[in-house]
Amino acid sequence: MKAGIHPAYRTVLFHDTAADVFFLIGSTVDTDRTHQHSDGNTYPYMALDVSSASHPIYTGQQRKTQVEGRIAGFNKRFASFGSSSRAAEA
């Protein structure tokens, strides 16, 4: 690998502000902010709006918007098509 062209890989403290949860993850994110973690060490700090701690899919709080599936809706909408022409043929 060429020297001097790769970003620095280091442990970064990510903070999910919606759930108020902290994650220590290895990253190359470029940040000037630092924050002291509960372990007593100071790490580069990055604030997040959404993470696995607050996203509805991961927390199980996702609301179901559709009552029935797409196929059932299609069949319900177009059930009358073709039935009148078949009745006329018989």
Side-chain angles (χ1 to χ4, degrees):
M1 291 193 324
K2 278 183 145 179
I5 63 168
H6 300 286
Y9 184 79
R10 60 194 177 178
T11 303
V12 178
L13 182 64
F14 288 93
H15 179 206
D16 182 353
T17 55
D20 197 31
V21 177
F22 292 89
F23 300 98
L24 279 174
I25 301 173
S27 177
T28 60
V29 68
D30 186 25
T31 180
D32 295 331
R33 298 174 63 186
T34 59
H35 190 271
Q36 187 170 1
H37 189 49
S38 60
D39 64 1
N41 294 328
T42 302
Y43 296 100
Y45 173 82
M46 184 64 150
L48 302 172
D49 293 331
V50 177
S51 73
S52 62
S54 63
H55 195 279
I57 289 179
Y58 295 109
T59 60
Q61 296 174 352
Q62 183 178 14
R63 291 180 288 167
K64 196 161 189 157
T65 57
Q66 294 181 349
V67 177
E68 57 187 23
R70 290 183 179 188
I71 295 173
F74 177 85
N75 290 337
K76 183 176 158 184
R77 186 178 305 137
F78 297 107
S80 62
F81 277 104
S83 61
S84 62
S85 63
R86 288 185 187 165
E89 290 175 8

